[in-house]
Amino acid sequence: MMFMSHSSLTAWLDELAGERTLIAPRDVGRGHIHLRPVAGSSEITLEYDRPDLSAKEFLFPHTERLMQVEKRSDQVTLHDRFLEKGQVVFGLRPCDAHGLVALDALFRDREPADAHYTRRRQKTALVGIACPQMWESCFCTSLGGAPDDPTHLDVLLTAVEGGYAVQPVTNQGEALLASAAIEEVTDLSLPDIPRNEQVPVLAADQWPAHFDQEYWSRLGERCLSCKLCTFVCPTCRCFDLRDEPVASRTDLVLIERMRVWDACTAPNYRTIAGGHNSRPLKGQRIRNRYYCKFCYYPKDFGPLGCVGCGRCIDVCPVNIDIVEMLNTVYAMHQERDTVEAEAET
Amino acid sequence: MFRRPHQCRQLGGEFHHFLRLTTARPCLTQDNGFVSSAGYVHEEETHLIEQIRAKARELLESGRVSCVIGYEAATRGGTRPAFIYDPDGVDRLVWNRECYANLTTFLHDKKKPARRGEEVPNVAIMTKPCDSRAINLLLSEGQISRDKVYIIGLACGGMMAEGNLQAPCLRCNVRIPVLYDTLIGDPPDIDVTDDFEDLAELEGMSAEERLQFWLREFDRCIRCYACRQACPGCYCNVCEFDRDDSLWIGMQIELPQKYFFHTFRAMHLAGRCVECNECERVCPMDIPLSLLNRKLVKEVSELLGHRGGMTTDPVPFVTILADGEVSLI
Amino acid sequence: MSDNGSNPMRPYVGRLAGTKELATEIRLFQIELQEPAGKAAFANYRPGQFAFVSAFGSGEAPFGITSIPGRGDLLEFAVQRHPHGKTTNGLHRLDVGDPVGVRGPLGNWFAMDEIQGKDILVLGGGIGGAPLRPVISTILDNRDEYGKTTILWAARTPSLLIFTDEYDAWRAAPRTELHLTVDQRPPDWREGNEGLITTLLENVGPSPENTITITCGPPIMIHFVTLSLRKLGFTLDQMLVTLEGRMHCGIGKCGRCNLGDIFVCADGPVFYHSQVAKLLESFL
């Protein structure tokens, strides 16, 4: 097993920060930890559980400038804007990396590939730190993940006495570690992390039967229609697209075309030009969010649209709890099976 | 003609195998019709919840209201909004020191009939003193009609967080609702004055220091609009910040836009804010929005002698149109 | 391939070659693409496909292409100005000669070759008539390939009827009928009927035999037209509709136009109603 001491880690991170953009957990005030670009290891905090937001924003930024439009008299020139410098996201959790599987399937692997996401993905390395525990709202193990799952990372670090156990996962991870001071140790054992109770998740083709249940309108009744659950979600990817002016002179107008996170939970999300809104009710919108994750996404793109990070549970001001929802839908399904079995006999 | 995405595939067998291995059991909660254990309840308050449930049952059974908006136990401690339509559902209601949410914001959902052709529903609502001021605000702005809302007023000793009274409750001197149809509980004997001590630190700062303070706070904002959505005073059909023609503000989730959003919203609430603190409570980033709103509460109070929602008097700087409609300047 | 060439969100730059007032607040935009890549992309678009049109600075929005390849080199879009629509206002402010952007062609199309030999019933409501114009043009240009064609054309008022200067040509074509209707008829308007398109439909009473219907209009119109067609004996397999959604990408990424597990932009916008009926979620 490979081992990196605290001081080696610090030196390694400072070196990484020199050549690429280093993104790492940072205290942004009032105890909140966000993944943010940092100048060096001194700005990083290693005391955190789950960053407030997932790593999604560095592949699919909340505000992405797709291009700049330069307008001179009657001439227009478009300048594409792409990420140029490589970036390392350090300190993300395994579930955050798992979330990128869903984004990859949509933005990168489904034709036509999104150029901006694909470029960012190529230029990003992921150095995760295993969760020391499963926190109360975590249910990653119910969705194919684990607090110490290295699968979707380039390197996984696990906190051990005096430093970190190091697991390179990909070739990119190996290359990244080339400059790190790593020792080979034999007597290193990784902590055994207690698992939370499993949450039952119906298969994609079992969901449609429950689409018209009254449950959804009851669940939606307390929803505030804010965008919180979708913004903290590692896989939610709805966006809006708009032109915003940057500068305006008589001979030159600069405009940026940008895409910005949006949320299917917002009231006017579906309003079309004539004013028609095909999802005017809160229950319809919250249902869409969950069906997107567990039914549409796997059908259309392969992976599930949920990795069990539990963020939406923790932040929801009105206790719309995805685990409670999954349990309820499972119970409805069991009940349906029972009724059908009774009907047969 | 009808092109299906070629990626159509179901969940792999591995996942099903995985599911079979688990000891999955449904947890029984209100949402699937089973009653979970009650939340944290003060012993002396248990008789109050019986009064509340009896009143709710009476109102539903008599047909006086079709829905009771109240609190029920949440899944992981604390409470959450509950909507009770069936008299037998009243046992879900709870009343304790963790009933934080200002339920009056849900009255906006009850302004219209549930289905076309039906009447505007009559509802009852569990109302804390601070939240009751929002009902006055909505009445003064013609948003709801008094006869459609039955107010189950709750005398309040304050809400607790981590074993202590919440900061806003420590300075609160409105201990029974400013209006109600029935009052549950005795007014607690608490005598405090609100001297805006919470603003002292901010007011002691120079303009530049204040700017830096707020920029650091707004830096965490993600423009999720939870503050706006939870606020009973934020009910415009299309908010300025949601307009497609973005007359006022760019759509970027970046510091200048976030700064503008919060200050603009605070201005829109000047004289209207009822100090329920919901915006701050729901903020996932703990931005101290109450400081912003309370500063304007103080200014309006000192300049115009008006405090939002204490009576049904409209905010001093609104225009009353000829037909009685109220419009903000 | 260059980055630009593989960027599906990048519009092709063109020039506004001409405009024409079609109706109140509805203007036809004729666009000449300038970049060779753009010309190549739009060399062979089909009736029913759509594209995003950019008024740089005001944004882009999706519009059904209302021209057909082969009838001139210009791409045409009919754009209705909405009071709060940033892009439609931006487009209406453009002058001839101004630069515009076009991204597409996107979505599926009316498979005109599959419905050859059938009678065709075309139902267009308001601006919804725009993507039907290339359908009508295709039929008229290949008149012998299609059976009897009945066009029901509706708008709220006569001043909102689009493509009025083409009605004579439609009427003059062999085995082709045009019926107009407006919600409320002004006293001096004699050209058509009064009432909703469903009333007109039931008055005209087309036979379902060997007929395909093609409907485009607001969701509520599609809903009621479908009910009327069923009364007349049409099955959902005979009804083609084009749906709209609040699209922002047009390529199945932005998530905004899903109806259950399909995306109107990438899986549509043209559907048989029998497909729409099977969807989990209603378009209404």
Side-chain angles (χ1 to χ4, degrees):
Chain A
M1 183 63 78
M2 290 195 278
F3 172 81
M4 192 192 284
S5 68
H6 282 297
S7 57
S8 302
L9 176 68
T10 308
W12 182 51
L13 290 174
D14 283 330
E15 192 183 305
L16 289 179
E19 44 197 58
R20 317 167 186 233
T21 306
L22 178 63
I23 293 149
R26 213 178 78 190
D27 186 340
V28 291
R30 298 192 193 266
H32 287 269
I33 308 297
H34 287 196
L35 295 167
R36 288 279 177 95
V38 293
S41 59
S42 61
E43 294 179 14
I44 298 174
T45 177
L46 291 167
E47 298 296 313
Y48 66 102
D49 42 24
R50 207 170 33 201
D52 283 357
L53 298 161
S54 78
K56 141 177 114 173
E57 63 177 303
F58 302 101
L59 285 309
F60 169 50
H62 54 67
T63 308
E64 172 117 84
R65 289 162 172 80
L66 299 178
M67 61 181 195
Q68 192 168 67
V69 182
E70 195 184 312
K71 249 167 105 172
R72 282 177 199 277
S73 62
D74 60 352
Q75 284 303 309
V76 152
T77 319
L78 308 184
H79 303 282
D80 291 285
R81 300 269 297 259
F82 286 106
L83 180 71
E84 297 297 339
K85 202 176 170 190
Q87 57 184 17
V88 180
V89 184
F90 167 79
L92 75 164
R93 297 301 187 190
C95 57
D96 293 340
H98 191 187
L100 297 180
V101 172
L103 297 186
D104 286 348
L106 173 93
F107 281 119
R108 187 188 64 189
D109 302 338
R110 190 197 206 221
E111 289 293 323
D114 180 79
H116 291 80
Y117 179 88
T118 306
R119 168 75 80 99
R120 282 181 176 272
R121 194 70 166 105
Q122 284 163 355
K123 289 193 162 283
T124 304
L126 306 172
V127 179
I129 301 182
C131 306
Q133 65 174 100
M134 284 182 80
W135 290 282
E136 199 221 337
S137 53
C138 293
F139 61 111
C140 57
T141 50
S142 303
L143 296 164
D148 47 7
D149 176 20
T151 314
H152 309 291
L153 293 157
D154 293 304
V155 177
L156 177 68
L157 305 180
T158 308
V160 291
E161 175 109 28
Y164 290 88
V166 182
Q167 288 172 263
V169 185
T170 61
N171 292 338
Q172 176 167 230
E174 296 266 9
L176 214 57
L177 287 166
S179 61
I182 296 174
E183 303 158 47
E184 190 71 37
V185 288
T186 49
D187 59 341
L188 192 65
S189 65
L190 296 179
D192 198 11
I193 305 161
R195 300 316 205 216
N196 284 354
E197 195 179 342
Q198 290 290 331
V199 178
V201 182
L202 295 187
D205 58 357
Q206 293 174 315
W207 284 80
H210 307 289
F211 192 80
D212 293 320
Q213 292 274 7
E214 197 202 333
Y215 169 69
W216 301 112
S217 58
R218 275 191 285 146
L219 179 64
E221 206 152 21
R222 67 176 179 273
C223 177
L224 294 172
S225 297
C226 72
K227 305 182 179 186
L228 190 37
C229 51
T230 70
F231 281 12
V232 299
C233 177
T235 70
C236 273
R237 59 69 171 79
C238 285
F239 63 80
D240 203 337
L241 193 75
R242 217 180 271 180
D243 284 5
E244 297 289 354
V246 178
S248 182
R249 297 201 312 255
T250 46
D251 59 333
L252 170 69
V253 180
L254 287 180
I255 300 142
E256 283 174 333
R257 175 157 298 172
M258 53 186 69
R259 73 168 163 218
V260 178
W261 289 355
D262 204 349
C264 66
T265 48
N268 292 321
Y269 177 78
R270 288 288 282 229
T271 310
I272 55 175
H276 182 76
N277 183 353
S278 65
R279 260 182 233 137
L281 304 175
K282 296 192 285 187
Q284 295 170 330
R285 296 195 291 271
I286 201 99
R287 176 179 63 188
N288 182 71
R289 176 160 192 270
Y290 290 141
Y291 269 68
C292 178
K293 300 199 163 313
F294 297 104
C295 178
Y296 311 154
Y297 216 96
K299 278 183 172 180
D300 288 346
F301 309 113
L304 282 171
C306 177
V307 295
C309 73
R311 284 188 179 90
C312 58
I313 301 171
D314 290 347
V315 296
C316 182
V318 289
N319 186 229
I320 290 179
D321 183 330
I322 195 168
V323 168
E324 182 189 32
M325 183 279 297
L326 287 169
N327 280 321
T328 307
V329 174
Y330 182 76
M332 293 193 298
H333 199 73
Q334 297 289 89
E335 198 181 326
R336 188 168 169 272
D337 283 353
T338 315
V339 171
E340 278 177 9
E342 279 169 4
E344 272 173 36
T345 55
Chain B
M1 177 171 300
F2 181 60
R3 290 185 284 117
R4 298 291 305 180
H6 59 272
Q7 291 88 347
C8 272
R9 71 183 164 89
Q10 305 297 320
L11 285 170
E14 191 186 307
F15 189 80
H16 290 286
H17 175 63
F18 179 74
L19 251 187
R20 274 198 301 278
L21 289 179
T22 66
T23 53
R25 275 176 290 111
C27 89
L28 305 180
T29 66
Q30 295 88 346
D31 272 351
N32 53 28
F34 303 92
V35 179
S36 73
S37 60
Y40 154 72
V41 181
H42 264 316
E43 216 166 293
E44 69 269 24
E45 281 159 357
T46 48
H47 71 284
L48 297 179
I49 188 58
E50 290 313 322
Q51 290 178 37
I52 294 167
R53 288 171 182 168
K55 177 53 78 179
R57 179 180 286 280
E58 175 201 318
L59 290 167
L60 287 167
E61 279 177 346
S62 68
R64 169 71 181 82
V65 303
S66 61
C67 175
V68 177
I69 306 175
Y71 302 93
E72 67 182 357
T75 51
R76 296 159 198 264
T79 67
R80 68 185 185 192
F83 299 80
I84 315 281
Y85 294 91
D86 176 358
D88 291 337
V90 300
D91 290 339
R92 282 161 54 192
L93 293 172
V94 298
W95 169 235
N96 58 40
R97 296 297 190 102
E98 293 178 324
C99 294
Y100 307 118
N102 180 349
L103 303 176
T104 60
T105 200
F106 295 106
L107 290 176
H108 292 297
D109 295 334
K110 302 289 183 187
K111 291 191 290 200
K112 284 185 191 152
R115 281 173 207 83
R116 198 180 295 179
E118 290 180 3
E119 299 231 330
V120 174
N122 290 301
V123 294
I125 181 166
M126 284 172 66
T127 309
K128 302 196 298 287
C130 48
D131 304 341
S132 69
R133 292 169 56 186
I135 296 182
N136 265 344
L137 180 79
L138 300 188
L139 288 170
S140 74
E141 295 177 358
Q143 289 303 306
I144 52 173
S145 70
R146 184 67 186 85
D147 59 326
K148 291 285 174 192
V149 181
Y150 186 97
I151 302 165
I152 303 175
L154 306 163
C156 181
M159 293 294 130
M160 314 274 278
E162 288 159 7
N164 297 308
L165 272 179
Q166 295 193 124
C169 303
L170 284 168
R171 60 172 179 255
C172 173
N173 49 24
V174 185
R175 294 299 181 168
I176 61 167
V178 292
L179 76 171
Y180 53 80
D181 293 293
T182 189
L183 180 66
I184 308 281
D186 300 318
D189 186 19
I190 300 172
D191 187 22
V192 289
T193 46
D194 182 1
D195 52 7
F196 292 99
E197 181 58 31
D198 49 320
L199 299 176
E201 189 187 342
L202 209 59
E203 287 174 337
M205 292 180 189
S206 69
E208 178 56 28
E209 285 169 335
R210 254 197 328 269
L211 177 66
Q212 291 312 317
F213 171 87
W214 282 116
L215 289 180
R216 182 164 163 78
E217 297 292 343
F218 294 148
D219 176 50
R220 290 195 303 279
C221 172
I222 55 173
R223 248 181 121 171
C224 69
Y225 292 147
C227 49
R228 183 190 73 184
Q229 295 301 114
C231 177
C234 267
Y235 55 77
C236 293
N237 284 339
V238 179
C239 173
E240 285 298 339
F241 299 102
D242 283 341
R243 283 176 63 150
D244 284 343
D245 48 7
S246 55
L247 286 176
W248 291 94
I249 187 174
M251 73 186 314
Q252 299 93 316
I253 306 178
E254 292 177 339
L255 196 49
Q257 288 75 25
K258 297 189 280 195
Y259 180 80
F260 186 71
F261 164 66
H262 287 291
T263 46
F264 188 106
R265 201 181 85 84
M267 289 299 175
H268 204 170
L269 288 166
R272 302 175 63 243
C273 173
V274 298
E275 303 166 71
C276 68
N277 216 39
E278 267 298 79
C279 51
E280 188 169 302
R281 180 187 76 86
V282 301
C283 179
M285 299 300 163
D286 293 311
I287 298 168
L289 293 166
S290 65
L291 292 179
L292 203 55
N293 292 319
R294 290 259 299 162
K295 176 65 183 166
L296 288 161
V297 167
K298 186 182 173 192
E299 296 293 328
V300 174
S301 167
E302 285 174 358
L303 285 170
L304 302 160
H306 180 86
R307 198 109 175 210
M310 290 305 287
T311 65
T312 51
D313 291 341
V315 187
F317 36 90
V318 299
T319 310
I320 310 285
L321 302 177
D323 59 359
E325 195 180 329
V326 176
S327 163
L328 288 170
I329 290 175
Chain C
M1 199 190 275
S2 73
D3 284 322
N4 293 1
S6 62
N7 179 2
M9 297 303 282
R10 188 187 208 271
Y12 301 111
V13 175
R15 195 178 59 83
L16 186 58
T19 63
K20 193 159 91 180
E21 298 304 317
L22 290 179
T24 307
E25 302 286 19
I26 302 177
R27 188 176 295 166
L28 186 74
F29 289 80
Q30 299 173 306
I31 296 170
E32 182 189 5
L33 291 171
Q34 290 165 315
E35 298 163 311
K39 287 180 183 168
F42 280 91
N44 194 25
Y45 62 90
R46 315 286 193 92
Q49 285 197 293
F50 68 98
F52 280 79
V53 182
S54 287
F56 293 111
S58 302
E60 60 171 18
F63 301 98
I65 307 172
T66 199
S67 49
I68 59 164
R71 276 205 187 183
D73 294 333
L74 301 176
L75 277 178
E76 293 181 334
F77 300 91
V79 178
Q80 182 163 29
R81 193 183 74 81
H82 286 276
H84 298 295
K86 193 178 175 186
T87 307
T88 58
N89 274 292
L91 285 167
H92 274 245
R93 277 195 300 268
L94 294 177
D95 295 319
V96 171
D98 280 349
V100 289
V102 184
R103 195 157 65 76
L106 297 166
N108 67 356
W109 50 85
F110 295 108
M112 295 306 293
D113 44 352
E114 281 177 23
I115 57 174
Q116 285 183 357
K118 306 242 184 216
D119 288 352
I120 312 285
L121 177 61
V122 178
L123 301 110
I127 190 72
L132 298 177
R133 180 179 174 236
V135 170
I136 297 168
S137 306
T138 304
I139 295 171
L140 298 194
D141 288 358
N142 306 276
R143 196 65 202 86
D144 294 342
E145 307 298 333
Y146 299 90
K148 182 183 170 197
T149 297
T150 309
I151 304 165
L152 306 188
W153 213 244
R156 287 204 309 279
T157 65
S159 65
L160 289 169
L161 284 166
I162 57 173
F163 302 121
T164 46
D165 56 359
E166 300 182 24
Y167 296 168
D168 287 344
W170 296 356
R171 287 189 181 111
R175 290 172 296 125
T176 307
E177 284 175 19
L178 170 68
H179 301 273
L180 302 175
T181 189
V182 295
D183 289 4
Q184 277 181 328
R185 179 168 54 186
D188 56 340
W189 192 71
R190 295 271 176 273
E191 213 180 335
N193 304 272
E194 182 175 62
L196 298 175
I197 195 167
T198 43
T199 314
L200 177 64
L201 175 60
E202 284 167 31
N203 289 344
V204 173
S207 158
E209 199 187 330
N210 194 36
T211 301
I212 288 288
T213 73
I214 303 181
T215 310
C216 187
I220 193 77
M221 179 194 121
I222 293 178
H223 175 70
F224 284 108
V225 160
T226 305
L227 294 182
S228 296
L229 286 172
R230 296 203 62 162
K231 263 196 244 168
L232 291 167
F234 287 84
T235 65
L236 295 178
D237 290 325
Q238 291 173 275
M239 303 178 200
L240 278 166
V241 293
T242 75
L243 301 181
E244 59 183 317
R246 182 167 172 169
M247 305 164 189
H248 282 303
C249 74
I251 50 176
K253 310 269 188 212
C254 77
R256 300 197 71 117
C257 67
N258 79 305
L259 289 174
D261 62 353
I262 66 104
F263 293 99
V264 171
C265 69
D267 299 316
V270 177
F271 299 91
Y272 275 104
H273 211 301
S274 47
Q275 295 168 316
V276 177
K278 281 190 203 127
L279 298 175
L280 264 190
E281 206 177 357
S282 167
F283 65 93
L284 198 59

